[in-house]
Amino acid sequence: MRLFILGLGYSARHFARQHGGSFSHIAGTVRDPAKRDDLAGIEVHGFSGGSPARETVERVRDADVLLVSIPPGTTGDPAIAAFGDVLAGGRRRIVYLSTIGVYGDHGGGWVDESTPPQSTLDRARMRVGAEQAWMDIGDAAILRLAGIYGPGRNALATLRAGTARRIIKPGQVFNRIHVDDIAGAIMAAIQHGSGGIWNVCDDEPAPPQDVIAYAAELMGVAPPPEEDFATAEMSAMARSFYSSSARVSNAKLKRELGVALVHPTYRHGLDALWHAGEAR
């Protein structure tokens, strides 16, 4: 199988490293190939919207599996705009990485794939539109990802860097997923062979301050002081993440795709990262 990755972001790169042996050839896009030296084994193409190079178009045309992690913009999905004619009527497998942010605020209540998206955020509404566009192109697998953490991107790392904060908003919970389990879910979706929507999150939605406190315990350091959300200094983007609180179910992911999580809670994930030498 030949794999093409539209948008070699954190999760997509990790998938390529974890499961690259399953493919005869891997290629993908980045905004500026000259600035990337961490993509050994991947044929890299430049793409930042607009008209792609002929060679890039041909690689997309020849791909058996297309993994898409480029976010949509205000005018729609840039990958569809660039490659739509090539993709129409193809028989390739398409996996699109979306976000659980589409569900919006449910006051900490449980949601699943049958819950209609209701986010008031523009970026989440654009995601819903992109999901539908990819499903219209082919029998796409839509993976709605929770908050992503993994090597170099976790509470241990932010504590070590001195940037971790314990923002307290009563009733707030976030959902998260280790990048290892994202890689497993992508592979399961490819092997499943038909389209659908699946939430990719772990078993335990939790308040964000609990994750920081557990990481500090592992490191043997004092956690940062608590800050009241109402008065904490935060960027508009950071504050917007607290506008939604929901517990997202992963039951369909396990039932239909047969995914067994390597890191079923944030404690499992942080334990593994700490024992692997993260933030030492």
Side-chain angles (χ1 to χ4, degrees), residues 20 22 33 46 53 72 86 90 110 133 146 148 157 183 186 208 210 215 220 231-232 235 253 263 269:
S22 299
V86 176
W110 283 96
I148 303 165
I186 293 170
D210 290 4
T231 56
S235 68
L253 179 76
H263 308 289

Side-chain angles (χ1 to χ4, degrees), residues 130 152 216 241:
F241 287 108

Side-chain angles (χ1 to χ4, degrees), residues 46-67:
F47 176 70
S48 57
S51 298
R54 182 187 298 273
E55 183 183 7
T56 308
V57 172
E58 291 306 311
R59 283 288 188 250
V60 171
R61 190 191 308 277
D62 292 341
D64 301 297
V65 177
L66 189 67
L67 175 61

